[in-house]
Amino acid sequence: MKDLRAVLLLLVECFLLVAACTAQTIQVDITPAHSTNHFAPNEVLGAGVDRIPAAAIDHDLLAPTLKQVFASGWQPVSYRQNTELAIEAWHWNPQGAWSDPSGKGYFTGSAAPSETIRYSYGYSLPHRGTTRNDGTGNAGFSRLTDGDLNTYWKSSPYLTQRFTGESDALHPQWVILDLTQNQMVGSIRIAWMNPYAIRYVVQYWTGDDPIKAQTKGVWQTFAHGAVTSGKGGSETIRLSDNPGPIRFVRILMTESSNTCDSHQSADPKLADPRNCVGYAISELYLGTTTADGEFHDILRHTPDQEQTATYASSVDPWHEPSDLLTTKQAQVGFDLFYSSGVTRGLPAMIPVALLYDTPENAAAEIHYLKKRNYPISYVEMGEESDGQFMVPEDYGALYLQWATVLHRIDPALKLGGPSFQGVNKDIEVWPDANGKVSWLGRFLDYLKQHGRMNDLAFFSFEHYPYDGCKTPWGTLYDEPDLVSRIMQAWHEDGVPADLPVFITESNLSSAASETYMDMFAGVWLADYIGSFLNSGGNGVYYFHYLPLQMEHGCNDSPGTFGMFTVDANYQIQQPLSQFFVSQLINLEWVQPGAGQHLVFPAKGDIDDGAGHALVTAYAVKRPDGQWSVMAVNRDQQNAHRVRIWFHDRAGQDAGFFSGPVEISTFGKNQYQWHPVETRFMAHSEHAGEQPVVAITKGTAEPDGPVLRSTQSGSTDAWYDLPAASVVVVRGKIAGR
């Protein structure tokens, strides 16, 4: 009887062991037909360089710093074009010519190589019509409610019939007033400049927010809001007989007077047609009219962010030298960019300014780069047009004008865009005449209708999935689905299956915080890169490549978009979690270089009891014949032991790692971030100082390195995944 009990106990233990083994497995489907992607690391796994402090440029682009940056393993570089986000015209070359001989107007950089370009700058636009957008933050102001009748907003001349070849009615221009809350509105006064609108309508929004939720309401024309024979000057319109509560008001303009603005020269030889097309408004007033005919304005007119906020469809890129407001922030000059070594000699993705610039300036930039023999991989057209509130047909019209002049220089240039800001879902805009709301779908339709799809060589967007101020650990579980769903959305919008899809800028959030330095950020990075490639992505660029100072972030915490902490002179102090995970991705998971890698589906079967996968996995077959699995343990408290099985459904066989297996581990035992200590000030001690002040510096202890080990593979081999870790397991499969 005792023996029987022992046997039964042994059987139960064996059953439990088998069950445990079954429940702790990463399955890799290596069926050849099931491969989800293929890529070469030196073309696909890159990083981005943006506008940064001039001091950072001086210190970061030096060999000792670049050597440490290169140790992360990222390869190609994407040059980010930040001036578009700040509603600025980009002087990519400080040397150049103005359209007006007096030294102002539309600027074109010199295409002739002469002095080394070390820095380049953005010039603010004096005809700005947007108070704030998703790039400017709280800097600058609109000329529509600045209280100055001598300043004015003017729309882009490149969206008029003279340049598009299409009726102005197909590219209506608009301005929007945001009253921040419902207020009684019955009348509007528009102080027009030249050119003014002959035909326009004044409308109100029936929903919540026409900028952030463009399909959650409609634009309704006021009872007396349609004007068909505008005369310019100051026009006061009684919009309705009974004022009602309104928050958002739009002026939609469809026909221009085509009369010349204040910049047009009296000399016919110097006449510039760009000064005589589009629409211009000096000041807007909104409110009610009393029985005695008196107009009562409710807007706030001031040249700062406290003005009544306005938004504009486009902005005229006319400006002058005095519009250069700072040289402390700079885009890296192209000569320094290419000669410093930051590109590693690889072709770089470079931008041209499009939203607030001219095609001539873009053409001169390409001419310059070609004369210098600088290698270009791709040309990205404009920056975050959706964040600038540009409708897709307007972006399409600019895109085709720019593409025409650039392909005239080199038909082989690979142009693309639109560099959407970091979004997790399809971008929707006010419906067109057919009720279509997809921004991307309508942009693609525009190219197709004009027979120009061949001018789009790639589609690009950015990825900043989280609100930087709201990052509980559980948000990590969302990342693979966020990536796969947005990739699916783009293809449903009409992106052809064979069109390369790039994420040209990415990190946790568009807002910095101390989360960036925590292990959280490293775990996220592995999941993000793996899931993007598994979803068929063709290129991904980590941001930011170069070391940066800590900056004020979410919840008053310091943060950096870089992979290192630095001192006041930008000398690297220590690497951060994303640096080490970058090494795992670029130097361990993949084989560095130009060799082709095949991506295969992989899946863990460990969850949290609520359907969230605690272990995710990403598998590649490397050109050296090794199979490499990157396992991400998103369980912040518990380690897990897993087996790794390979299944070939075509051959109906299974496999496992055999022989020496190389393991690279990065988790809590290798890295822990210790946050800063802060003190709170009820009121700032010094003018403009933040109310929360750091009194110590955050630090990582330990701060690496990656733990590397070797074990023997076999059918019953287990692989340890420490809590909150990224582990790369690499080797050969038995029998293959």
Side-chain angles (χ1 to χ4, degrees):
M1 190 67 176
K2 182 183 289 187
D3 291 342
L4 179 59
R5 289 177 179 172
V7 170
L8 290 174
L9 182 60
L10 180 60
L11 289 173
V12 169
E13 290 176 346
C14 289
F15 175 82
L16 292 175
L17 180 61
V18 170
C21 292
T22 303
Q24 304 281 315
T25 305
I26 292 174
Q27 301 277 355
V28 184
D29 182 356
I30 62 173
T31 308
H34 294 176
S35 175
T36 60
N37 203 354
H38 61 88
F39 67 92
N42 70 346
E43 297 177 356
V44 169
L45 296 173
V49 173
D50 205 350
R51 177 158 63 171
I52 56 179
I57 293 174
D58 294 338
H59 291 91
D60 284 350
L61 294 177
L62 299 175
T65 299
L66 289 177
K67 182 179 179 180
Q68 295 179 76
V69 169
F70 292 160
S72 65
W74 299 113
Q75 294 289 307
V77 174
S78 174
Y79 186 119
R80 312 311 300 147
Q81 214 295 85
N82 184 267
T83 59
E84 299 265 71
L85 305 188
I87 314 182
E88 296 173 337
W90 186 28
H91 288 216
W92 59 268
N93 187 348
Q95 306 301 316
W98 297 88
S99 58
D100 188 322
S102 66
K104 56 187 177 182
Y106 301 96
F107 183 83
T108 301
S110 173
S114 55
E115 298 179 5
T116 296
I117 304 176
R118 186 174 183 85
Y119 312 107
S120 63
Y121 304 107
Y123 285 62
S124 65
L125 298 181
H127 296 316
R128 172 173 165 170
T130 296
T131 301
R132 66 186 70 93
N133 60 15
D134 288 337
T136 59
N138 293 323
F141 57 92
S142 165
R143 276 40 175 194
L144 287 164
T145 53
D146 67 347
D148 186 347
L149 287 173
N150 294 313
T151 65
Y152 56 94
W153 162 77
K154 184 169 178 286
S155 64
S156 170
Y158 295 101
L159 293 172
T160 65
Q161 184 172 358
R162 181 179 184 92
F163 294 93
T164 65
E166 301 173 322
S167 167
D168 284 355
L170 294 178
H171 295 280
Q173 298 300 289
W174 47 264
V175 295
I176 294 174
L177 285 160
D178 178 3
L179 306 179
T180 71
Q181 63 184 26
N182 284 343
Q183 299 193 48
M184 300 304 289
V185 172
S187 299
I188 191 171
R189 178 173 293 165
I190 307 172
W192 293 100
M193 297 289 278
N194 286 316
Y196 56 88
I198 293 176
R199 187 180 297 269
Y200 62 96
V201 294
V202 184
Q203 304 170 313
Y204 62 92
W205 181 250
T206 63
D208 180 34
D209 189 331
I211 297 298
K212 300 298 184 182
Q214 297 194 11
T215 61
K216 306 298 184 183
V218 296
W219 285 110
Q220 184 71 46
T221 301
F222 283 97
H224 308 304
V227 177
T228 57
S229 55
K231 300 295 190 295
S234 181
E235 291 186 313
T236 302
I237 305 168
R238 192 155 190 166
L239 298 170
S240 61
D241 297 325
N242 299 304
I246 301 291
R247 176 179 171 183
F248 292 96
V249 173
R250 179 174 77 166
I251 304 170
L252 186 73
M253 296 156 272
T254 54
E255 185 179 345
S256 172
S257 65
N258 294 321
T259 46
C260 298
D261 66 18
S262 61
H263 304 310
Q264 185 68 312
S265 173
D267 184 347
K269 295 180 180 179
L270 301 178
D272 190 328
R274 291 171 290 191
N275 292 327
C276 307
V277 290
Y279 309 94
I281 298 174
S282 172
E283 198 80 7
L284 291 174
Y285 310 87
L286 190 70
T288 55
T289 302
T290 51
D292 60 2
E294 286 293 318
F295 177 82
H296 300 274
D297 182 29
I298 60 174
L299 303 188
R300 180 171 171 79
H301 302 265
T302 180
D304 58 33
Q305 286 282 309
E306 293 301 302
Q307 66 182 189
T308 295
T310 67
Y311 305 95
S313 53
S314 65
V315 179
D316 181 9
W318 190 100
H319 59 289
E320 49 190 317
S322 61
D323 292 315
L324 175 60
L325 303 183
T326 181
T327 58
K328 291 184 177 181
Q329 293 273 331
Q331 300 272 168
V332 180
F334 277 126
D335 290 321
L336 179 60
F337 176 72
Y338 275 103
S339 65
S340 66
V342 71
T343 67
R344 293 192 169 202
L346 296 171
M349 174 181 287
I350 62 100
V352 293
L354 176 141
L355 308 180
Y356 308 117
D357 219 306
T358 71
E360 294 82 8
N361 195 37
E365 175 191 333
I366 299 301
H367 272 303
Y368 184 92
L369 295 175
K370 285 189 165 294
K371 290 177 181 178
R372 288 288 203 190
N373 294 315
Y374 293 145
I376 301 170
S377 57
Y378 302 95
V379 178
E380 196 167 35
M381 309 276 272
E383 177 78 0
E384 299 185 22
S385 53
D386 56 324
Q388 310 301 306
F389 317 126
M390 181 169 280
V391 297
E393 291 77 16
D394 285 0
Y395 175 78
L398 297 179
Y399 187 97
L400 292 186
Q401 291 176 61
W402 267 242
T404 296
V405 299
L406 297 184
H407 276 155
R408 194 175 293 145
I409 298 169
D410 181 359
L413 282 175
K414 297 178 180 178
L415 312 179
S419 183
F420 284 144
Q421 58 183 344
V423 292
N424 295 326
K425 59 183 180 179
D426 194 18
I427 297 170
E428 295 182 333
V429 290
W430 308 314
D432 63 9
N434 299 316
K436 191 165 186 175
V437 298
S438 169
W439 199 107
L440 179 56
R442 282 166 50 181
F443 167 59
L444 295 172
D445 286 346
Y446 189 88
L447 297 186
K448 293 173 185 175
Q449 291 161 7
H450 291 76
R452 300 285 296 274
M453 272 298 288
N454 288 340
D455 284 291
L456 184 69
F458 65 91
F459 165 68
S460 66
F461 67 106
E462 299 177 1
H463 187 63
Y464 291 99
Y466 302 143
D467 180 334
C469 302
K470 301 174 183 177
T471 50
W473 188 270
T475 56
L476 284 175
Y477 303 151
D478 301 333
E479 179 60 17
D481 285 341
L482 291 176
V483 172
S484 61
R485 283 203 303 266
I486 194 61
M487 291 286 284
Q488 180 181 352
W490 302 142
H491 289 297
E492 290 174 351
D493 286 339
V495 172
D498 59 350
L499 186 74
V501 176
F502 300 148
I503 293 181
T504 49
E505 186 179 312
S506 58
N507 213 312
L508 274 174
S509 168
S510 58
S513 74
E514 207 144 11
T515 303
Y516 269 88
M517 287 79 78
D518 191 71
M519 191 63 203
F520 182 103
V523 172
W524 169 83
L525 181 61
D527 240 354
Y528 156 57
I529 298 295
S531 56
F532 176 67
L533 293 174
N534 191 55
S535 298
N538 305 102
V540 61
Y541 295 85
Y542 169 85
F543 179 90
H544 191 281
Y545 201 22
L546 300 178
L548 298 172
Q549 297 285 351
M550 291 288 177
E551 54 191 81
H552 184 260
C554 281
N555 303 318
D556 286 313
S557 67
T560 176
F561 289 92
M563 296 180 286
F564 307 90
T565 58
V566 298
D567 64 17
N569 293 315
Y570 290 89
Q571 299 302 301
I572 291 175
Q573 295 177 304
Q574 63 178 171
L576 301 173
S577 67
Q578 289 192 337
F579 169 81
F580 294 109
V581 174
S582 297
Q583 288 188 319
L584 283 178
I585 294 168
N586 297 311
L587 306 178
E588 304 294 344
W589 183 51
V590 305
Q591 180 182 347
Q596 285 293 317
H597 291 61
L598 297 177
V599 183
F600 289 87
K603 186 177 182 180
D605 54 13
I606 307 169
D607 66 35
D608 66 347
H612 301 124
L614 291 176
V615 173
T616 54
Y618 307 95
V620 295
K621 184 178 182 182
R622 298 166 28 130
D624 60 7
Q626 292 191 90
W627 288 84
S628 185
V629 176
M630 180 166 62
V632 184
N633 182 6
R634 307 187 297 184
D635 190 331
Q636 64 174 322
Q637 302 296 342
N638 303 298
H640 294 281
R641 303 187 74 204
V642 298
R643 284 180 168 175
I644 301 177
W645 287 91
F646 300 86
H647 293 275
D648 184 344
R649 297 183 182 180
Q652 298 298 315
D653 64 345
F656 50 87
F657 281 123
S658 177
V661 179
E662 298 176 66
I663 302 171
S664 302
T665 302
F666 185 67
K668 289 183 177 179
N669 289 334
Q670 288 74 48
Y671 182 91
Q672 289 188 43
W673 178 255
H674 302 278
V676 301
E677 294 180 16
T678 59
R679 62 180 171 86
F680 171 70
M681 301 291 291
H683 298 283
S684 297
E685 183 178 1
H686 305 290
E689 187 177 50
Q690 296 293 340
V692 175
V693 180
I695 56 177
T696 66
K697 299 185 72 173
T699 185
E701 179 60 43
D703 62 350
V706 170
L707 175 65
R708 293 174 175 83
S709 61
T710 303
Q711 74 178 61
S712 295
S714 66
T715 185
D716 58 355
W718 291 89
Y719 303 96
D720 291 318
L721 310 180
S725 69
V726 181
V727 179
V728 173
V729 184
R730 190 175 74 240
K732 299 290 184 68
I733 300 177
R736 288 178 176 262

